[in-house]
Amino acid sequence: MVSEKIPDRTGASRELLLTALPFTVVTGGIWWWIGISLVSLALPLSGYALLAWVVVTGVTGQQGIGPANRVTFYRALGVVILAGILLEPQLPAHAQWAWVMLALAVLILDGLDGYLARRFKVSTDFGARFDMEVDAALILTLSLAVWGGGITGPWVLLLGLMRYLFVAAGWIWPWVNCPLPESFRRKTICVWQIASLVIVLVPITPSWLAVWILAPALMLLAYSFTVDLAWLYRAGGQHETQRHGAET
């Protein structure tokens, strides 16, 4: 009888435990500086625990989580902090600027994880998926900030929900779940929409300019998803349709 090898996650677990205290201290300091009740720290701390669990179950080895996943993890923690602050109904002006600066930092770090993965030859399916989901969470958080701030109508939420609608479509049509090839177009439009949302959220950006910035971003995103869906349908959807037709 051959025994299954149990993945060793000691290094990743140790590294994430060592970052828990600094994250708690830094987040608590931000909450105190803004004037948010420390009781609401439960949200970012819960987010940290969830992210740590996701990373530990997704990576193996005793050398930690790796340079690429480390950057993605820190980006994810930034999104957790942004989402937690977003629950505060009224933010002082200095906190609004700080919120936007943090969002900009998370955006700037996007791409560094991919570079590190290629540089150190540690690219994994988990790392690519983790990076993509962090981008999606950031876009949804920024979209909620734009809508919640009264800058635009609820249509802006389509920017943040498009990715999740795509995932939901995969529950109905299995061919949507087929892997997509690498795409410079997809990456460029993703960065474009995040940058557009961040620009709109800068306190000095006129509210009338928001529609002119975000509407093209939404159209580009819709175009990108349409192209991907068409490719997936040609790759798997037609074959599945023909197979079902033959069975009947």
Side-chain angles (χ1 to χ4, degrees):
M1 180 178 179
V2 179
S3 60
E4 254 186 62
K5 185 178 179 181
I6 301 175
D8 191 341
R9 301 185 174 96
T10 306
S13 301
R14 184 186 303 113
E15 181 174 348
L16 293 173
L17 283 174
L18 289 174
T19 61
L21 181 58
F23 174 76
T24 303
V25 172
V26 170
T27 308
I30 294 172
W31 258 233
W32 174 82
W33 179 64
I34 295 176
I36 304 176
S37 171
L38 293 182
V39 175
S40 64
L41 273 175
L43 176 64
L45 293 181
S46 299
Y48 181 94
L50 176 61
L51 286 170
W53 176 80
V54 169
V55 172
V56 167
T57 55
V59 301
T60 58
Q62 295 184 326
Q63 302 304 314
I65 65 178
N69 288 327
R70 186 175 297 118
V71 172
T72 308
F73 180 69
Y74 293 155
R75 290 181 62 236
L77 293 182
V79 176
V80 166
I81 293 174
L82 289 171
I85 297 174
L86 200 60
L87 296 178
E88 185 68 12
Q90 293 293 332
L91 289 178
H94 67 276
Q96 294 176 25
W97 278 102
W99 198 93
V100 172
M101 291 300 103
L102 177 57
L104 182 61
V106 175
L107 170 60
I108 292 173
L109 286 174
D110 189 20
L112 178 59
D113 43 13
Y115 166 77
L116 291 174
R118 293 187 296 272
R119 172 69 175 79
F120 294 99
K121 296 181 174 59
V122 289
S123 299
T124 63
D125 291 339
F126 168 78
R129 179 66 182 271
F130 188 30
D131 179 55
M132 180 173 58
E133 296 303 338
V134 170
D135 286 339
L138 174 61
I139 294 168
L140 179 57
T141 301
L142 295 173
S143 300
L144 286 168
V146 171
W147 177 53
I151 299 174
T152 69
W155 60 268
V156 73
L157 296 178
L158 286 173
L159 281 169
L161 293 174
M162 196 82 71
R163 158 69 183 163
Y164 300 102
L165 292 173
F166 184 84
V167 172
W171 300 341
I172 304 172
W173 302 292
W175 51 267
V176 176
N177 298 316
C178 294
L180 283 163
E182 289 288 327
S183 169
F184 179 75
R185 176 256 310 161
R186 193 181 306 120
K187 294 177 181 178
T188 302
I189 291 178
C190 176
V191 173
W192 180 286
Q193 61 177 317
I194 296 174
S196 298
L197 287 162
V198 172
I199 291 170
V200 166
L201 286 166
V202 173
I204 61 174
T205 302
S207 57
W208 60 265
L209 192 58
V211 174
W212 295 98
I213 295 175
L214 295 178
L218 180 57
M219 288 188 287
L220 283 172
L221 183 63
Y223 161 76
S224 182
F225 273 104
T226 301
V227 171
D228 285 342
L229 284 171
W231 188 92
L232 288 168
Y233 180 72
R234 287 194 299 269
Q238 289 181 338
H239 175 74
E240 186 176 331
T241 302
Q242 292 170 359
R243 181 173 61 83
H244 283 304
E247 290 176 355
T248 56

